[in-house]
Amino acid sequence: MPSLHSLTPVATGSVENITLSNRTQNDRFAYLWEGNINIPVSGTYTFRTSSDDGSQFWIGGLPNALVVNDGLHGTQDRDGTITLNAGVYPVAILYYEQDGGEVMNFSWKTPQTGGSFQTVPNNAFVNAPILPNPTEPGLKFRYFTYSGTWYHMPNLHALTPAASGIVANVNLNNRTQNDRFAYIWDGYINIPVTGSYTFRTTSDDGSQLWIGSLPAPLINNDGLHAPVDKEGTLTLTAGTYLIAFLYYEQDGGETMNISWKTPQTGGNFVTIPNSAFTTRSASVSSSIDSNIQVYNLAKPHDIVIQANTASVSMGKMVPEEVKQSGMAIFPNPAIDHVNVRLIHAAKGAIQVKVFNALGVAVKTMKYTKDNNYWQQQLPVSDLKAGYYIIEVTGRSLTYKTSFIKK
């Protein structure tokens, strides 16, 4: 099997399943299909490729192919077995045909197939969303009251709210007092078009704005002060992003307004409309989408490569996330646990931290790494559904990656 990722495809697109029907020649061609596969129930799964000539099947963050059916040969079956939790996993299927007959079939034996192999159905392939698709309007809010003096924004996530609920937008209308109170509003914001966005908070006293998976607030309008504007700018691709606004009022006047300047507002700041916010999501869209980017969990795709010659370099395929960072996680999305796999020469104490989308550490664990290859199962059943970042640090190593908790 050549290193298909190093070659330039002659065609790309989307297909419902593994097929050779869109090839333009019968010899000296290859395919790379990538996407995500839905594992409906936890249990043992055996995957099979039947190919003429070579094929491979990759799943999750494994450092090697689960099924290796490589080389020049007539039609032959090769299997690989793995125990999986219910969830969505990234997959890649590779195939090449030298000459003669051309065959590529993909099947599985699951806890639901009665011990028999069946063709993996079209509906098994899904998009795994990096962020959920919104279904309910508004923002969730948590309201706090306190005594004493807050000179700076406290860790509101560590406090017990006096009230919570859903509101259409950021406002102070449901407060029960005029001094010594605070809010968190969080949810999702829809970015309608790709471009540069400048956000603004106008607050008395302190406020912050967090968006996406940024490790620090985009706007830090902290401290005790009269109404002050603070802004933050970033370029965003059209889509849905996690967002949170934090605010506290010590005494005196109370003000909290949010606005933005977008590619559609003619260079002016306008109040962020209610329609921009949603509170939650639940859908997973089906089919294999088209996008040329290796192992992108949000946009799986297929690549068709039709080589004009057989003299292509041979090499072992390693998933891009392993080649680039030395760390892989699976399953992703996760339900009750996530496996962290690390390949690095450093040994000794390492620390694993899990951050929520607001950059708040929600788990801290310490381990000892004794050799180059290290793997650990982390429990995540206690985490709420959403987007999380895992950071692994140790002597001469720091790695970060993300996962979805279902």
Side-chain angles (χ1 to χ4, degrees), residues 39-47 80-84 108-111:
I39 300 301
V41 297
S42 299
T44 299
Y45 287 74
T46 301
F47 294 88
T81 300
I82 188 171
T83 300
L84 297 170
W108 63 0
K109 182 169 60 177
T110 81

Side-chain angles (χ1 to χ4, degrees), residues 343-363:
I343 301 174
H344 195 283
K347 299 178 177 64
I350 61 174
Q351 179 173 270
V352 179
K353 281 191 173 184
V354 179
F355 298 88
N356 65 19
L358 302 179
V360 177
V362 293
K363 278 182 176 289

